[in-house]
Amino acid sequence: MKLKDTDALILLDVQNDFCPGGSLAVQGGDQVAAKLSDTAARFKARGGRVYATLDWHPQNHVSFKTNGGPWPPHCVQGDKGAQIHSALRLPIGTSIIRKGTNPQEDAYSGFQGTTLEDQLRRLDVKRVFLGGLATDYCVLNTALDARTFHFDTYLLTDAIAAVEANPGDGEAAIKKMKDVGTTLTTCEEVLSA
Ligand code: VGL
Ligand code: ZN
């Protein structure tokens, strides 16, 4: 697939806490991190834009079990667990988007409560390519929002991994993304042209 300068790669929450050893580890998260590095470099080389979202919670965040939420504490602002996994090499000029910063509100989509849509519009981005963690939360909700905002949306199916709180959640999320018009593709395909 030939990349253009109006394409954007959005790397979702490739953070230590979502990788093996982290507090909300997703199986294969570290492989996703490694896989996305070459793809990110290719977007930059073709004049496209690269964004990286970070789940970036205050310690008193509503999604934490300690505060009545569903998750173990994770991605606490400034902690090691919130850092981008070391296997992911971000090109110079990557824009970092922090989400989930409001203690009272969870945010699975990279668009929720952020300037991501504004930034994409300002640069006249038409196509967004999504990869990262986790398929059944951040990736799913970001794809749904991207379609609502009428971006041509591509899912990098070989560079995502699911939490699977219930078995099958990952597959169900992929189907939901497809049903709203997301195109399934792979890093291989993006790198092949
Ligand atoms: C996420 C669970 C909790 C995600 C964030 O970004 O996919 N999942 N917080
Ligand atoms: Zn979170």
Side-chain angles (χ1 to χ4, degrees):
M1 187 184 310
K2 215 162 156 40
L3 293 178
K4 304 180 256 201
D5 63 4
T6 51
D7 292 335
L9 174 65
I10 307 176
L11 306 167
L12 300 161
D13 298 6
V14 187
Q15 293 165 273
N16 289 328
D17 271 341
F18 295 126
C19 292
S23 66
L24 185 33
V26 173
Q27 205 183 330
D30 48 347
Q31 284 149 283
V32 165
K35 185 119 208 182
L36 285 167
S37 296
D38 289 349
T39 305
R42 180 65 63 91
F43 272 77
K44 164 121 179 153
R46 292 286 150 86
R49 295 286 315 166
V50 181
Y51 296 84
T53 69
L54 296 180
D55 207 30
W56 195 251
H57 298 314
Q59 246 169 40
N60 59 345
H61 193 254
V62 66
S63 79
F64 296 173
K65 278 180 183 148
T66 43
N67 307 311
W71 305 116
H74 63 277
C75 299
V76 173
Q77 296 174 2
D79 284 2
K80 176 95 199 193
Q83 287 175 14
I84 290 173
H85 192 278
S86 60
L88 177 59
R89 302 241 108 76
L90 294 179
I92 289 170
T94 299
S95 302
I96 304 292
I97 305 284
R98 291 180 173 81
K99 67 179 179 67
T101 57
N102 181 339
Q104 306 301 343
E105 188 179 283
D106 210 355
Y108 293 126
S109 166
F111 289 98
Q112 193 181 334
T114 72
T115 60
L116 180 58
E117 190 200 356
D118 283 351
Q119 294 195 43
L120 295 172
R121 297 252 183 255
R122 215 174 302 137
L123 292 162
D124 213 23
V125 167
K126 303 280 189 259
R127 302 197 298 181
V128 298
F129 291 73
L130 307 178
L133 308 169
T135 311
D136 33 2
Y137 294 94
C138 185
V139 177
L140 169 62
N141 287 281
T142 303
L144 296 180
D145 279 351
R147 291 299 302 135
T148 298
F149 298 140
H150 301 296
F151 292 105
D152 290 338
T153 306
Y154 292 78
L155 179 66
L156 300 167
T157 57
D158 57 345
I160 55 176
V163 174
E164 299 266 312
N166 305 294
D169 281 358
E171 274 309 313
I174 292 171
K175 185 177 182 306
K176 279 185 199 156
M177 290 187 261
K178 232 180 131 207
D179 285 348
V180 298
T182 301
T183 304
L184 306 190
T185 185
T186 59
C187 293
E188 306 305 334
E189 199 181 338
V190 163
L191 291 171
S192 68

